[in-house]
């Protein structure tokens, strides 16, 4: 087993360091010591998400995430949860367009248990996967779809906008939750083939962060994961290339039983991992990132036509990212009035850029969010996996804050002028089927693409 290398100097990452190693079967292991508290986090990212799915089998990545909690050769039924929680740990898994992840945070002296459990299901899950567990989790996921999408106000907005921004046939056209028809169509053999293709050590990154002895953790990784064979049959995701702009405004009016009128829109924005994506993130934060943002001040405080106005970035590496706008109306306010005000503010921002105060506030907000993620062992493990899987270098997580702070106001203005335009957006207008009532003062999350196991 080759030993790793320290990938970032101590003095360039605020005392955060990481080493990367690779086992003989291809599993990448990223280790980061932090002895502040006696806890350790295990995070395992598999390079598979809904973008890897094919037409007619959408939702399989998310379904399989649930199946991973249904037992393996040495852990029966709900044993994974029972063992981790019994040892004082916490755990879950999520699926997105671009990856599936599993994670545990443990008392440091129970770390070996988490590693053994993850290795057991990576290596032996197929021995426990049967028709009963398949049907059980198929029903769980279908019920999750009903609860989170189909039977809640505005629940299908993210799915609709995604399908508009990424055209039919594009790997990001459908969201990870999948369709009811495709969930019904998935067979046990489909699930088995999915596992064989994607759940291999050479398609995964394991990050362990916290109060650890790196040599001991590396020995455990080799002991438990090292004998799992690699698999070379993975199909690469389909090409996600698209023009930088949609080229026209796409619009749909939806009449449903919702509490209030709403205006939602999605814009194509630069790929994650680029300086332009950081500039776009700053632009959306200045425009709609909280109660001090420009759109909140205009629509909620000044015009009083909305009860909430949020703008956020869904970062994507394999396709253009998506800017997500969500405005809920106040009283009898008309969406057309809100849209006129929105376009005025976007045009002014594209012309003038952010003020110095807006730029400072947006950078401070994103800096705080990044540092909050890196401050916990679980958040740091997740970011190390993310940068390793999507960009090839886990230690880019430690310099992400610096890159955001280096972006200039002119770069923020330029990305807004180029892409926050009417001919680069998909628009949903919600009209209530009954009398409009007051909407709750909440904003839809740009994390809607992530589906969790919720066990």
């Amino acid at each position: 087993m080759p030993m790793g290398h320290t990938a970032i100097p101590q003095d360039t990452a605020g005392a955060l360091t990481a080493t990367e190693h690779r086992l003989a079967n291809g599993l990448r292991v990223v280790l980061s010591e932090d002895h502040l508290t006696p806890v350790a986090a295990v995070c395992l990212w598999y390079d598979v998400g809904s973008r890897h799915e094919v037409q007619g089998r959408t939702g399989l990545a998310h379904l399989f995430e649930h199946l991973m909690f249904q037992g393996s050769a040495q852990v029966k039924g709900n044993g994974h949860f029972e063992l981790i929680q019994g040892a004082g740990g916490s755990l879950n898994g999520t699926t997105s367009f671009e990856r599936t992840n599993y994670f545990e945070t443990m008392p440091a002296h129970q770390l070996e248990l988490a590693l053994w459990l993850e290795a057991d299901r990576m290596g032996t899950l197929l021995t426990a996967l049967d028709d009963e567990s398949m049907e059980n989790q198929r029903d769980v996921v279908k019920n999750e779809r009903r609860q989170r999408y189909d039977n809640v106000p505005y629940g299908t907005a993210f799915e609709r906008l995604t399908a508009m921004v990424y055209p039919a046939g594009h790997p990001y056209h459908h969201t990870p939750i999948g369709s009811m028809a495709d969930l019904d169509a998935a067979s046990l053999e489909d699930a088995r083939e999915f596992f064989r293709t994607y759940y291999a050590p050479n398609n995964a990154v394991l990050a362990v962060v916290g109060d650890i002895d790196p040599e001991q953790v590396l020995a455990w990784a080799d002991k438990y994961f090292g004998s799992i064979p690699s698999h070379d049959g993975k199909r690469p995701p389909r090409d996600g290339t698209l023009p930088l702009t949609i080229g026209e405004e796409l619009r749909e009016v939806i009449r449903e039983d919702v509490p209030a009128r709403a205006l939602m829109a999605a814009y194509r924005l630069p790929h994650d991992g680029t300086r332009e994506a950081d500039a776009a993130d700053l632009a959306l934060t200045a425009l709609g990132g909280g109660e001090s943002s420009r759109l909140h001040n205009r629509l909620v405080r000044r015009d009083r036509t909305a009860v909430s106005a949020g703008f956020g970035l869904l970062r994507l590496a394999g396709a253009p990212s998506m800017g997500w706008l969500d405005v809920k109306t106040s009283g009898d306010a008309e969406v057309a009035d809100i849209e006129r005000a929105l376009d005025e503010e976007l045009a002014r921002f594209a012309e003038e850029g952010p003020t110095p105060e807006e730029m400072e506030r947006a950078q401070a907000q994103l800096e705080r969010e990044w540092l909050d993620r890196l401050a916990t062992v679980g958040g740091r493990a997740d970011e190390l996996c993310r940068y390793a899987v999507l960009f090839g270098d886990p230690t880019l997580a430690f310099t992400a804050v610096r890159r955001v702070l280096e972006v200039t106001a002119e770069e923020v203005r330029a990305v807004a002028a180029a892409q926050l335009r009417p001919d680069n957006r998909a628009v949903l207008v919600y009209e209530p089927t009954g009398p409009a009532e007051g909407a709750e003062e909440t904003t839809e999350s740009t994390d809607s693409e992530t589906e969790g196991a919720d066990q």
Side-chain angles (χ1 to χ4, degrees), residues 153-211:
Y154 318 106
T156 61
F158 179 78
E159 189 174 44
R160 291 172 185 267
L161 285 171
T162 299
M164 295 165 76
V165 170
Y166 307 102
H170 190 271
Y172 293 72
H173 179 69
H174 67 279
T175 57
I177 193 67
S179 73
M180 285 293 197
D182 288 355
L183 289 169
D184 282 332
S187 68
L188 180 60
E189 184 51 39
D190 288 332
R192 287 174 171 162
E193 178 60 24
F194 193 88
F195 180 85
R196 286 189 289 264
T197 300
Y198 296 109
Y199 278 74
N202 54 318
N203 194 48
V205 171
L206 171 68
V208 184
V209 175
D211 188 15

Side-chain angles (χ1 to χ4, degrees), residues 204-427:
V205 171
L206 171 68
V208 184
V209 175
D211 188 15
I212 64 172
D213 176 344
E215 289 188 8
Q216 178 63 79
V217 174
L218 200 55
W220 282 334
D222 191 46
K223 177 181 178 180
Y224 297 123
F225 291 91
S227 62
I228 302 172
S230 60
H231 180 76
D232 297 325
K234 176 185 174 182
R235 296 177 294 273
R238 288 168 291 143
D239 184 15
T241 302
L242 284 172
L244 294 178
T245 59
I246 298 171
E248 61 178 323
E249 182 182 81
L250 307 174
R251 180 175 294 265
E252 184 178 350
V253 177
I254 302 169
R255 291 176 172 82
E256 286 184 359
D257 183 14
V258 293
R261 295 186 180 99
L263 171 68
M264 300 185 190
Y267 297 77
R268 283 186 197 164
L269 290 171
H271 288 64
D272 192 16
T274 64
R275 190 177 176 99
E276 291 79 10
D278 291 336
D281 208 350
L282 287 165
L284 301 194
T285 302
L287 286 164
E291 295 185 0
S292 61
S293 66
R294 188 174 292 202
L295 293 179
H296 186 91
N297 283 327
R298 171 68 186 269
L299 300 174
V300 179
R301 289 182 175 169
R302 197 191 95 176
D303 295 355
R304 298 186 178 182
T305 54
V307 295
S308 66
F311 215 168
L313 181 65
L314 171 60
R315 287 176 174 262
L316 297 172
S321 300
M322 189 168 79
W324 168 266
L325 172 75
D326 185 347
V327 181
K328 303 296 194 314
T329 65
S330 175
D332 295 326
E334 296 290 339
V335 169
D337 295 332
I338 290 174
E339 199 163 1
R340 278 193 293 272
L342 167 69
D343 286 339
E344 287 176 10
E345 294 299 330
L346 293 182
R348 184 160 64 91
F349 194 88
E351 177 68 25
E352 302 172 0
T355 65
E357 293 78 13
E358 286 176 324
M359 190 70 180
E360 181 180 4
R361 192 162 51 238
Q363 287 180 316
Q365 185 171 330
L366 293 185
E367 180 182 26
R368 186 190 69 244
E369 292 172 0
W370 274 109
L371 293 177
D372 283 347
R373 286 197 288 275
L374 295 179
T376 67
V377 292
R380 196 180 318 153
D382 192 58
E383 290 299 332
L384 289 171
C385 279
R386 173 177 170 240
Y387 280 97
V389 169
L390 298 180
F391 305 109
D393 181 359
T395 62
L396 288 172
F398 297 150
T399 56
V401 172
R402 186 185 70 205
R403 291 193 296 276
V404 169
L405 297 180
E406 289 174 348
V407 174
T408 67
E410 172 55 25
E411 289 174 296
V412 173
R413 185 208 64 78
V415 76
Q419 294 186 264
L420 296 182
R421 302 169 6 190
D423 65 348
N424 185 37
R425 69 185 176 200
V427 177

Side-chain angles (χ1 to χ4, degrees), residues 127-143:
T127 64
L129 183 59
D130 56 20
D131 285 317
E132 181 180 358
S133 58
M134 182 78 173
E135 291 308 313
N136 175 277
Q137 292 308 302
R138 190 200 312 270
D139 288 342
V140 168
V141 173
K142 288 170 66 176
N143 193 49

